[in-house]
């Protein structure tokens, strides 16, 4: 690198698309903001920083971008380890000598294996990047007053993002935060205000906390009042956040957030079956009936959204089908914003229990753990469950019922919601389950067209074309395109995975 130019830093959010598309998914909300918080650790005047988010920008396939950086900082969900390794190979071939770092859930779940692949492994929070900057780029490249680089986000439908807490005070068995065992902590008012200054004025605000409510009511009120002060000042027209089920047990909580400009709340209901919730150690959601919570929120002018996970190891097709039909038949109950199969995320208690019980399917790749295919043995025969999953996740055979429900539900809430909320209530489920055409660059579209058909079952699902090394890559990079297997042919954890996670136990 010449002393006459500033070092170039590329921050990449690696992503494995479960729908096998390389094109951008620009309607996915909330966007990944970690790359922009990482970008804020670099000095603006002494570094050139870019961000590529493979969710919002699509798969990174541009050879010019592979040739550009002096330092690459990779992050992503644990299932994206293979993708991060593939990207590292492409960067190293295009620009020999480039320094490559990995952080986030991947680094925390697989620190030993990451150390053999990447030059730097950051297991801490965003602040841990500072030492890496000093080592990789030299002194003076760190930001003196770090703050998120929201100026790099680009068009985001008028949405702004802030974070007031980190991690979560609950220990749900399936959650990666539980596996990481990092403490829940809230930001000071100064730290939150710094983010607001970096954000500027936006149409709507999304609070990125894993749990806005937390374990300290006084602190919750402080943070809500601070958000409300910015709302009253006109910095945004309303805001939304994620809360846990215990939030709704005190009616004063809803009144307080509504009085401070809250327009939408998301809560992880996860299952309508109490037995399943208890198996997830998610007792805070035992009383989270979505119909009741949606009605309570609407009384305060707040849109309610939630997620559901389907566990065919504990539920039958008939039971799941009955729950979906009940939701579609209920005008008062919104459809879930997220519909997923259970995911045994590496490092979580749920994963460990599934592995001990022999529930994991054979020859399971880490990248298979995406929530959109069966990776655990169901309680009913595969020939019954797999076709049902394939139809349900695309709402095949239910499109008319989907449209009817969306219209009726939005109409029923017309007196409680403003125009924006009503449009979200109407269009949200149609976008999620109705199917949409994703358009990207020629390279991205060509890769999408080459993808083999999905089977919705890990045992038969063929690997993505991303596992085929580009023709111009030398043979020495072939190892970087081999998948990391979670289980062997007998369904037992592979020796490679056990070695990679041995230090985490």
């Amino acid at each position: 690198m010449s002393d006459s130019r500033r070092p170039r830093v590329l921050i990449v959010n690696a992503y494995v698309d479960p729908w096998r598309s390389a094109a951008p998914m620009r309607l996915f909300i909330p966007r990944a903001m970690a790359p922009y918080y990482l970008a804020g650790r670099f000095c603006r005047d002494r570094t050139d920083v870019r961000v590529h988010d493979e969710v919002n920008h699509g798969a990174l396939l541009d050879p010019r971008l592979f040739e550009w950086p002096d330092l690459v900082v990779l992050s992503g969900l644990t299932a994206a380890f293979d993708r991060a390794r593939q990207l590292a190979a492409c960067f190293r071939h295009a620009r020999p000598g480039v320094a490559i770092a990995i952080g986030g859930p991947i680094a925390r779940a697989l620190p030993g294996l990451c150390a053999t692949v990447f030059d730097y492994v950051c297991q801490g929070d965003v602040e841990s990047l500072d030492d890496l900057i000093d080592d990789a780029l030299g002194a003076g490249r760190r930001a003196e007053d770090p703050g998120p680089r929201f100026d790099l986000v680009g068009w985001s439908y008028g949405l702004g993002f802030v974070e007031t807490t980190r991690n979560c005070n609950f220990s749900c068995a399936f959650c990666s935060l539980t596996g990481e065992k990092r403490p829940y902590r809230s930001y000071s008012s100064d730290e939150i205000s710094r983010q607001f200054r970096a954000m500027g004025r936006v149409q709507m605000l999304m609070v990125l906390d894993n749990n806005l409510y937390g374990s300290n009511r006084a602190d919750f009120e402080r943070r809500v009042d601070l958000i409300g002060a910015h709302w009253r000042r006109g910095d945004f027209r309303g805001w939304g956040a994620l809360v846990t089920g215990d939030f709704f047990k005190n009616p004063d909580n809803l009144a307080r957030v509504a009085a401070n400009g809250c327009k939408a709340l998301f809560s992880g209901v996860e299952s309508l079956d109490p037995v399943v919730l208890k198996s997830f150690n998610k007792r805070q959601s035992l009383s989270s009936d979505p119909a009741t919570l949606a009605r309570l929120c609407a009384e305060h002018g707040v849109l309610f959204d939630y997620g559901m996970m389907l566990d065919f190891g504990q539920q039958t097709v008939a039971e799941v089908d009955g729950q979906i039909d009940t939701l579609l038949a209920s005008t008062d109950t919104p459809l879930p914003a997220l519909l997923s199969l259970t995911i045994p995320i590496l490092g979580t208690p749920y994963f460990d229990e599934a592995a001990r019980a022999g529930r994991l399917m054979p020859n399971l790749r880490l990248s298979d753990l995406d929530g959109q295919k069966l990776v655990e043995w169901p309680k009913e025969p595969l020939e019954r469950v797999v076709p049902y999953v394939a139809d349900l996740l695309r709402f095949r055979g239910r499109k008319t019922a989907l449209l009817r429900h969306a219209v009726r539900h939005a109409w029923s809430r017309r007196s409680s919601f403003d125009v924006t909320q009503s449009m979200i209530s109407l269009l949200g489920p149609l976008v999620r389950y109705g199917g949409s055409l994703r358009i990207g660059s020629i390279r991205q579209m060509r890769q999408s067209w080459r993808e083999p058909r999905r089977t919705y079952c890990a045992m038969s699902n063929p690997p993505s074309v991303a596992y085929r090394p580009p023709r111009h890559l030398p043979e020495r990079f072939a190892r970087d395109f081999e998948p990391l297997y979670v289980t062997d042919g007998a369904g037992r954890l592979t020796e490679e995975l056990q070695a990679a996670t041995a230090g985490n136990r």
Side-chain angles (χ1 to χ4, degrees), residues 309-327:
M309 293 194 304
L310 309 176
D311 188 347
F312 288 95
Q314 300 187 72
Q315 299 170 292
T316 65
V317 165
E319 289 169 342
V320 171
D321 202 51
Q323 292 176 353
I324 299 299
D325 284 343
T326 298
L327 291 174

Side-chain angles (χ1 to χ4, degrees), residues 8-10 65-72 91 95 98:
R8 299 169 177 171
V9 180
L10 181 63
L65 202 50
F66 286 121
E67 298 170 353
W68 183 78
D70 302 301
L71 170 65
V72 178
F91 281 113
R95 190 174 178 82
V98 64

